[in-house]
Amino acid sequence: MFEHLKVLPQDPILQLMQSFRDDPRPDKVDLGVGVYRDATGNTPIMGAVHKAARRLLEHEKTKSYVGPAGSPGFNSAVTELLLGGDNPLSRDNRVSTIQTPGGCGALRMAAEFIKLCKPDAAVWVSTPTWANHMPLLGGAGLRIQSYPYLNSETLEVDFDDMMAALEMARKGDVVLLHGCCHNPSGADLTASQWAGITDLILRKELLPFVDMAYQGLGDGLEEDAQGLRHLAQAAPEMLVAASCSKNFGLYRERTGALMLISGNAKSQKAANSQLLSIIRAHYSMPPAHGAGLVETILQDDELRREWQAELSGMRDRIQQLRHAFSRELASSGDFDFIARQKGMFSFIGISEKQVNYLRAHHGIYLLESSRINIAGLSDKTLPRVAAAIREAVASA
Ligand code: PLP
């Protein structure tokens, strides 16, 4: 039965990671990786996470099943992070949040849920978007449509083109938006653009779906949720996929959540029961450990303060690197956008040939699209990487 199967080509990101590992040059630099790195190149376990893990170990009394929705304490803490405390949607019982295996689990379960509600709905995704959106959403059988997002000349959001394309969406289609720190471009919507897109979604009766994978890594925990909150208070229905991989550094613990907002408490109850039944049919219930850590942190004032301070430190480090990098590149063109953009990623707008030049001549690894992970830089490597890019731009 398996004999006719062919070996698939390796995922380009995994291939890049492999080439980096195989490269013997001691001063090689990995800017392709999709995880936060500190100044020493490590992806650290946050101090608050360490402490929460010790507490969990001491106080956990059972390893019994958690149920398809996961931990209620985690779910309400994440709802508060996303929507703010004491929000009207929670008061009106129009919202429920369920724990999922990472943001990916939330995206896929949302896709299955959309498929159940409206099998012919198209999901509109930005060009570019995170490559995994396609298999996660398309794999559920949904039709994917794309809307232009990034202007390839200015590397800023092409809002007029985006809005013009979304005018083509049909009633009931789904619009996927990155809550903050757009991956892969780092170019985010402004408050007035969020207001514009909210009006369009309401007028055309579309379903907003926000992917919030980097809350706290752009401008701050509250600031990064403003667009999402604006949409949530206006739209009758909405989906949000949230990830705790980056802002809690819990990548391998697979910790995320899917938030569902319905028009009223009655339809919310029905929608939630359908979603839980979908989950039961896929993975039955989510893993408990990562969510236990997040819940422990968010429910304890001291740990929460420590976590927020560590998250601010990560955000400040990224912002400082962004400013220093755009200054260092200034003599080779306009790279100011790098300082304006948010989160870990930016396209630096160089050609595939120049990307290959950096790898061949300097052991600097980035994706062919020219996406770099800013957190992969350090004060030590930044001047050398900038000099190599200047050289690549001049010669390749
Ligand atoms: N959404 C975006 C835009 C991402 O970049 C990622 C991870 O890189 C995710 C969702 C999913 O994250 P995870 O499944 O690791 O929580």
Side-chain angles (χ1 to χ4, degrees):
M1 188 150 71
F2 307 150
E3 276 150 19
H4 66 286
L5 297 177
K6 295 197 176 61
V7 177
L8 288 172
Q10 211 186 9
D11 177 281
I13 299 187
L14 299 180
Q15 216 170 326
L16 189 76
M17 283 163 71
Q18 186 60 47
S19 311
F20 178 78
R21 271 195 297 270
D22 295 344
D23 189 331
R25 286 172 284 188
D27 58 350
K28 60 189 176 178
V29 182
D30 180 7
L31 301 178
V33 66
V35 298
Y36 178 78
R37 291 266 164 91
D38 65 15
T40 67
N42 185 34
T43 301
I45 301 176
M46 295 172 96
V49 166
H50 250 310
K51 288 184 187 152
R54 260 184 243 122
R55 277 196 209 173
L56 261 190
L57 193 65
E58 276 167 28
H59 299 297
E60 209 173 32
K61 291 200 174 59
T62 179
K63 291 287 185 191
S64 178
Y65 291 120
V66 289
S71 162
F74 169 84
N75 294 337
S76 58
V78 172
T79 308
E80 203 184 307
L81 267 189
L82 293 170
L83 293 179
D86 193 29
N87 64 79
L89 290 165
S90 296
R91 276 202 306 275
D92 296 344
N93 294 318
R94 285 183 50 207
V95 58
S96 57
T97 303
I98 55 152
Q99 181 191 324
T100 54
C104 287
L107 285 161
R108 182 50 179 256
M109 290 304 100
E112 298 289 346
F113 180 72
I114 294 164
K115 182 81 182 158
L116 175 90
C117 298
K118 197 169 187 305
D120 63 340
V123 182
W124 291 75
V125 303
S126 62
T127 301
T129 194
W130 182 47
N132 228 11
H133 278 148
M134 313 304 179
L136 285 169
L137 306 175
L142 294 172
R143 199 157 43 86
I144 309 277
Q145 296 265 31
S146 48
Y147 59 84
Y149 184 77
L150 193 73
N151 181 308
S152 56
E153 295 294 312
T154 61
L155 297 173
E156 310 271 7
V157 176
D158 228 337
F159 192 63
D160 291 344
D161 283 4
M162 169 180 174
M163 293 291 274
L166 288 174
E167 285 293 343
M168 318 282 284
R170 290 181 316 181
K171 179 179 170 181
D173 278 357
V174 181
V175 183
L176 182 72
L177 298 161
H178 296 226
C180 65
C181 307
H182 184 271
N183 181 5
S185 74
D188 280 351
L189 296 171
T190 62
S192 71
Q193 289 170 339
W194 276 102
I197 187 81
T198 301
D199 291 346
L200 182 142
I201 283 171
L202 296 182
R203 177 167 51 78
K204 294 196 63 77
E205 298 181 59
L206 309 176
L207 177 70
F209 181 7
V210 175
D211 184 2
M212 184 61 115
Y214 298 89
Q215 189 179 359
L217 285 164
D219 288 320
L221 279 170
E222 295 295 307
E223 294 83 345
D224 291 349
Q226 289 314 309
L228 177 158
R229 289 179 191 174
H230 179 80
L231 243 178
Q233 53 80 31
E237 294 176 340
M238 179 161 157
L239 291 165
V240 179
S243 166
C244 301
S245 297
K246 323 282 158 144
N247 53 6
F248 286 85
L250 287 172
Y251 307 87
R252 65 173 61 170
E253 303 293 358
R254 312 310 300 131
T255 309
L258 175 56
M259 188 168 85
L260 183 69
I261 296 172
S262 304
N264 57 55
K266 187 165 166 257
S267 56
Q268 178 59 27
K269 203 170 167 192
N272 195 49
S273 74
Q274 293 284 346
L275 182 60
L276 292 179
S277 153
I278 291 172
I279 282 159
R280 198 85 174 107
H282 280 81
Y283 54 80
S284 191
M285 49 197 70
H289 187 65
L293 298 174
V294 170
E295 183 176 342
T296 306
I297 292 168
L298 294 180
Q299 287 180 349
D300 181 278
D301 288 346
E302 203 181 310
L303 284 183
R304 190 182 180 117
R305 268 196 300 277
E306 182 172 343
W307 166 67
Q308 286 188 358
E310 290 180 279
L311 184 59
S312 300
M314 287 158 69
R315 181 171 66 241
D316 291 348
R317 188 179 117 71
I318 293 171
Q319 277 306 324
Q320 280 159 14
L321 287 168
R322 283 187 170 281
H323 282 97
F325 199 43
S326 75
R327 267 197 312 272
E328 286 274 348
L329 290 173
S331 62
S332 285
D334 183 5
F335 287 94
D336 287 357
F337 62 88
I338 295 178
R340 283 194 296 274
Q341 291 173 346
K342 305 291 174 195
M344 300 204 303
F345 305 114
S346 275
F347 277 139
I348 54 170
I350 61 171
S351 68
E352 211 174 301
K353 199 168 158 212
Q354 290 161 340
V355 168
N356 291 332
Y357 180 94
L358 288 173
R359 193 179 312 169
H361 294 268
H362 295 281
I364 296 169
Y365 287 73
L366 49 148
L367 304 192
E368 272 173 3
S369 61
S370 90
R371 186 197 84 166
I372 64 165
N373 180 354
I374 302 280
L377 293 165
S378 69
D379 292 346
K380 210 168 120 226
T381 58
L382 189 145
R384 189 163 66 77
V385 171
I389 293 173
R390 290 197 300 269
E391 186 186 302
V393 168
S395 62

